[in-house]
Amino acid sequence: MRQLKKILIVGGGTAGWMTAALLSKLFKDLYEITLVESEEIGIIGVGEATIPAIKKYNELLGLNENEFMQATQGSFKLGIQFVDWLRLGSSYIHGFGVIGRDLEWLRCHQYWLKLNSLGRASDFADYSINTAAALENKFMRADPKMAESPIGQIAHAFHFDASLYARHLRGLAEARGVKRREGKVANVTLRGEDGFVQSVTMGDGEVIAADLFVDCSGFRALIIEQAMKTGYEAWNQWLPCDRAMAVPCARAEPFTPYTRSTARPAGWQWRIPLQHRTGNGHVYSSQYMDDAEAEAILLASLDGEQLAEPNRLRFVAGKRKQTWNRNCVAIGLASGFLEPLESTSIHLIQSAIIRMVRLLPDAGFDPATIAEFNRQTDFEYERIRDFIILHYKATERDDTPFWRYCRDMEVPDTLQRKIDLFAANGRIFREDEELFAEESWIQVFLGQGVTPRGYDPLVDIKSDAQVAEFLDDVEGVIRKCVAVMPTHADYVARVCPAKPA
């Protein structure tokens, strides 16, 4: 058994510096870690919105949350609002955290399905602290002293400036011994006998060798694809959007504690509120809309002064056939791309880094270790893919060719099983360690109009009056909790105000 000695990270940005920061924190001085990047190459910042799992990564790094928020112009996120996805004029929120509370052995939504079938249920958002607070633009962190109250069950993530996050992590990584090398990679050398990566050659001729190479070079995929020809599995038959443009505008009110996704004629538009500005973007299909029309739609719907020219990118939804190939691990956009509809881009970086740490090889690179990494990665990507496809498939929209295609398309069997099961009696089961929990699927199913034909038969153990009393109590307690919460703007201004940009 021969230990690794040198790890080379090719590419900076969010993926590169998240990798460097965590490896240097966990491995201390065990390995020599170098990161190469070029300031001449632009960074694609698609990940300014996150999901709660990022808190685990920040905790592993030992980040102070308030300081991190100040350094990244951050705001808090309780969920994502989806506007016009089911039909024009519709809206729902996919909130993080719990939905109400369970009653005996059944989840809260089963009782809601019963009361809703009788025409007596309130809006589903009224039964979760995250969604109810989001609609009122209220926010506070969960209070661990109130674990039995909805106040103790608030789940949050963040919006932040991805470039500032990368800069913050770079400082931590370099302080822990990571060496940064400025410059472009001109060539990648593979060993003739086995195809392993031997070294990279920089633009000035310097040759840098390593044992393990981490490809964080974005869509260019310098090592994993350009050099190693790993191959790519495209999913554009289910996710036809292949273009995006992003543009910042001046901060506008309300200062929402949620991301907004608004469906457009051939895709969707995001709105992400930061302390110093608002991030906006339009994801669309070039088959159904040209660039000029997409830009016009985006710029016409900004709610603040435009601050820059749109940043454009092209992509194909999918993933590498192997995200770990021989002695190269691809992380971030080099490994694949799923549009940021459910804010999973940064999570996929985080999970890949942690998976690599858990399966870190010796210099022998046992094939079983690599195979397990790829198996877990494939499962994670495919289940996130299915969750995103659901938003497109479950729609009543038929006003454009794009939406008619999405409504009528065949979907993966793994997703169709979930749809069929939920449509019967509102049941959903989390498989293995898939990212999205039952609460997420429930909210998107209902929000997208997948209303079950029935409910769990065990609901009828309770009388209609008992079900109504239970749900009224849940709704009432949440309403009282939201009433005492500060506004998102006030909370941020009090606990983590960033310096003016």
Side-chain angles (χ1 to χ4, degrees):
M1 177 174 167
R2 185 170 64 85
Q3 290 284 8
L4 301 174
K5 293 182 180 178
K6 296 183 178 180
I7 299 175
L8 180 66
I9 302 168
V10 176
T14 309
W17 287 113
M18 282 184 73
T19 303
L22 191 59
L23 296 190
S24 61
K25 167 70 172 180
L26 298 181
F27 297 155
K28 304 187 186 302
D29 298 322
L30 188 59
Y31 307 112
E32 179 184 318
I33 302 173
T34 302
L35 183 147
V36 299
E37 67 173 343
S38 171
E39 293 183 354
E40 296 179 26
I41 299 175
I43 295 172
I44 299 173
V46 298
E48 291 188 331
T50 60
I51 57 178
I54 195 174
K55 291 189 292 184
K56 297 178 182 178
Y57 173 88
N58 287 347
E59 288 168 5
L60 283 173
L61 280 184
L63 295 185
N64 176 284
E65 189 166 289
N66 287 343
E67 293 174 359
F68 144 73
M69 295 285 282
Q70 291 173 318
T72 62
Q73 295 282 347
S75 66
F76 294 97
K77 177 180 175 182
L78 293 170
I80 306 171
Q81 182 185 50
F82 291 93
V83 177
D84 294 341
W85 279 83
L86 172 58
R87 65 178 78 91
L88 291 172
S90 68
S91 176
Y92 72 94
I93 288 188
H94 165 204
F96 306 134
V98 301
I99 299 169
R101 60 182 174 85
D102 296 348
L103 178 59
E104 296 177 1
W105 49 80
L106 291 180
R107 290 180 174 272
C108 182
H109 80 282
Q110 289 289 353
Y111 297 98
W112 182 87
L113 290 174
K114 169 67 177 292
L115 207 62
N116 188 58
S117 71
L118 300 174
R120 295 164 53 188
S122 296
D123 186 272
F124 196 60
D126 295 337
Y127 300 96
S128 168
I129 184 70
N130 269 54
T131 50
L135 289 171
E136 297 290 333
N137 291 317
K138 298 289 195 74
F139 179 81
M140 63 182 292
R141 293 188 180 106
D143 185 344
K145 299 176 184 176
M146 302 179 68
E148 299 303 315
S149 163
I151 292 291
Q153 299 166 348
I154 299 168
H156 72 273
F158 314 103
H159 305 117
F160 55 69
D161 185 316
S163 62
L164 294 179
Y165 188 50
R167 183 188 305 172
H168 188 60
L169 297 179
R170 173 182 168 179
L172 296 176
E174 289 184 314
R176 292 171 180 147
V178 173
K179 299 176 183 177
R180 179 187 179 276
R181 169 64 158 85
E182 167 66 30
K184 293 182 179 179
V185 172
N187 187 53
V188 178
T189 300
L190 305 182
R191 294 198 308 237
E193 66 270 22
D194 56 14
F196 274 56
V197 186
Q198 179 172 301
S199 62
V200 302
T201 302
M202 303 299 292
D204 61 4
E206 181 186 359
V207 176
I208 304 176
D211 301 307
L212 175 64
F213 293 79
V214 184
D215 190 343
C216 298
S217 62
F219 286 132
R220 290 166 295 138
L222 288 176
I223 302 176
I224 197 76
E225 193 59 52
Q226 290 190 32
M228 304 185 82
K229 312 298 183 188
T230 301
Y232 193 80
E233 182 179 347
W235 292 332
N236 50 323
Q237 72 270 36
W238 300 308
L239 297 169
C241 291
D242 59 357
R243 299 286 189 275
M245 58 180 67
V247 64
C249 72
R251 174 174 161 175
E253 298 302 329
F255 189 44
T256 58
Y258 56 86
T259 307
R260 178 179 297 136
S261 167
T262 303
R264 297 303 186 197
W268 60 279
Q269 181 175 332
W270 76 72
R271 179 185 184 275
I272 299 173
L274 306 179
Q275 291 192 46
H276 63 319
R277 61 175 172 82
T278 299
N280 309 274
H282 190 181
V283 178
Y284 59 99
S285 169
S286 62
Q287 181 180 350
Y288 296 95
M289 180 175 288
D290 62 36
D291 295 344
E293 184 181 2
E295 180 176 334
I297 289 173
L298 174 61
L299 298 184
S301 54
L302 300 181
D303 55 10
E305 178 190 358
Q306 181 181 342
L307 299 179
E309 288 301 306
N311 180 26
R312 297 171 174 82
L313 62 114
R314 299 183 175 194
F315 61 87
V316 176
K319 60 171 289 296
R320 298 284 158 216
K321 292 182 178 179
Q322 299 177 79
T323 52
W324 184 340
N325 188 356
R326 301 183 180 92
N327 64 333
C328 174
V329 179
I331 291 179
L333 298 178
S335 68
F337 184 80
L338 292 173
E339 59 192 73
L341 182 62
E342 283 284 355
S343 308
T344 52
S345 298
I346 285 180
H347 172 77
L348 285 167
I349 295 171
Q350 168 187 329
S351 64
I353 299 168
I354 293 173
R355 188 176 300 120
M356 181 173 67
V357 169
R358 295 175 66 187
L359 289 166
L360 193 77
D362 57 42
F365 291 94
D366 189 280
T369 298
I370 296 174
E372 178 60 17
F373 181 96
N374 286 326
R375 185 197 68 79
Q376 291 184 21
T377 302
D378 289 350
F379 178 85
E380 179 173 54
Y381 261 91
E382 289 166 3
R383 292 309 188 270
I384 293 174
R385 172 203 68 189
D386 288 358
F387 191 58
I388 294 174
I389 293 171
L390 173 62
H391 297 66
Y392 289 101
K393 173 64 176 177
T395 183
E396 296 175 3
R397 290 190 61 163
D398 62 358
D399 53 301
T400 68
F402 173 84
W403 287 107
R404 287 193 291 271
Y405 171 83
C406 293
R407 181 196 61 189
D408 298 337
M409 68 182 173
E410 297 291 325
V411 298
D413 292 342
T414 45
L415 172 58
Q416 192 62 55
R417 287 200 305 270
K418 278 187 165 74
I419 294 174
D420 293 342
L421 182 64
F422 190 83
N425 293 91
R427 295 187 176 109
I428 185 75
F429 298 95
R430 192 175 193 172
E431 297 181 49
D432 296 332
E433 295 183 12
E434 66 177 313
L435 174 60
F436 290 104
E438 289 95 336
E439 289 82 0
S440 294
W441 285 93
I442 290 165
Q443 290 174 91
V444 174
F445 272 132
L446 294 176
Q448 298 281 157
V450 183
T451 303
R453 295 183 295 274
Y455 47 84
D456 193 305
L458 296 181
V459 168
D460 286 334
I461 292 175
K462 304 293 184 183
S463 67
D464 293 353
Q466 288 174 313
V467 170
E469 182 182 7
F470 165 66
L471 290 177
D472 286 347
D473 180 64
V474 169
E475 181 183 0
V477 170
I478 288 174
R479 189 185 308 115
K480 291 177 182 177
C481 291
V482 171
V484 302
M485 293 170 64
T487 67
H488 179 229
D490 287 346
Y491 190 86
V492 169
R494 178 167 57 85
V495 305
C496 55
K499 296 178 181 179

